[in-house]
Amino acid sequence: MRVLVITRPDPVVSLADAKAHCKVEDDSEDALIKAYVAAATSHIDGPDGWLGRALGVQVLEARCGAACGDTIRLPFPPVVELVSISYLDADGVEQMGDLADVEVLGRDLVAASSWPWVGGSSRREAVRIRYRAGYPVDDSGDSPRSTLPAAIRAAILLMTDDLYRNRGTVSPGTVTAVPMSTPVENLLAPFRVYA
């Protein structure tokens, strides 16, 4: 199953929080710090990320063939809501599925009776399922707050600070890759999705 990002997420860590973590008080390096937050987040977020899950709310499109099985596990949780289902019929014409005919149980998509695309096109990506995934912002209280787990947020801040403080990838006299730090990996490990 191939997954594409249709709508990119908003940043899950604010510039103000990153600057406070890095103990930066002036505005002269705001663009650099924003870039480091984006780099740290993209390293672990979504279809290309190490974590195997969506962080900020984003629209993803899962593509599969008509023989997807009885239950379709949507990758990159948490799944917020289903947006649309489309498929190619036997003539190769795109059809829209009725969302009332399917149910999302956690990250599993289950048909009420049978999938609407049964007997449709046999092309590899004939079925396209769009859904919102990520940790939404809770705006029910006085001030909106992200539902992103604190450990993931802390890991992004640590990675941002590492990038800010260590602007090179090699030490004098040696050439080595810069691995993910042990504290960051330990913070993220419980949230990693392996399939």
Side-chain angles (χ1 to χ4, degrees):
M1 178 179 302
R2 187 164 71 115
V3 179
L4 305 173
V5 177
I6 303 301
T7 305
R8 293 209 144 312
D10 290 331
V12 294
V13 172
S14 71
L15 173 63
D17 289 346
K19 285 174 66 173
H21 182 82
C22 295
K23 296 181 173 62
V24 174
E25 295 179 4
D26 64 65
D27 299 336
S28 64
E29 296 188 303
D30 282 5
L32 181 66
I33 294 170
K34 274 186 189 178
Y36 289 155
V37 169
T41 304
S42 69
H43 180 69
I44 60 174
D45 181 39
D48 295 326
W50 180 86
L51 208 49
R53 69 175 52 241
L55 299 182
V57 175
Q58 54 200 282
V59 176
L60 301 175
E61 183 175 273
R63 296 180 175 187
C64 61
C68 298
D70 294 335
T71 301
I72 299 172
R73 174 147 288 181
L74 297 172
F76 311 107
V79 174
V80 176
E81 67 179 337
L82 200 55
V83 174
S84 67
I85 297 175
S86 64
Y87 59 94
L88 299 177
D89 64 16
D91 297 323
V93 177
E94 184 178 38
Q95 303 292 325
M96 295 305 293
D98 187 350
L99 297 182
D101 293 339
V102 297
E103 186 176 2
V104 178
L105 303 171
R107 61 186 274 216
D108 293 336
L109 186 63
V110 182
S113 56
S114 67
W115 295 118
W117 51 80
V118 171
S121 173
S122 60
R123 288 178 45 188
R124 286 182 52 196
E125 294 186 348
V127 178
R128 296 179 178 193
I129 304 162
R130 285 195 181 185
Y131 61 102
R132 278 188 186 77
Y135 294 93
V137 172
D138 177 7
D139 53 7
S140 62
D142 292 336
S143 62
R145 64 177 184 78
S146 173
T147 58
L148 185 72
I152 295 175
R153 188 176 181 287
I156 292 170
L157 288 170
L158 286 170
M159 291 168 69
T160 300
D161 191 51
D162 285 347
L163 291 167
Y164 182 75
R165 304 261 177 247
N166 305 300
R167 297 184 189 198
T169 58
V170 296
S171 302
T174 65
V175 178
T176 59
V178 178
M180 187 183 297
S181 73
T182 301
V184 168
E185 192 168 342
N186 288 341
L187 285 167
L188 295 175
F191 299 95
R192 192 167 187 194
V193 176
Y194 290 94

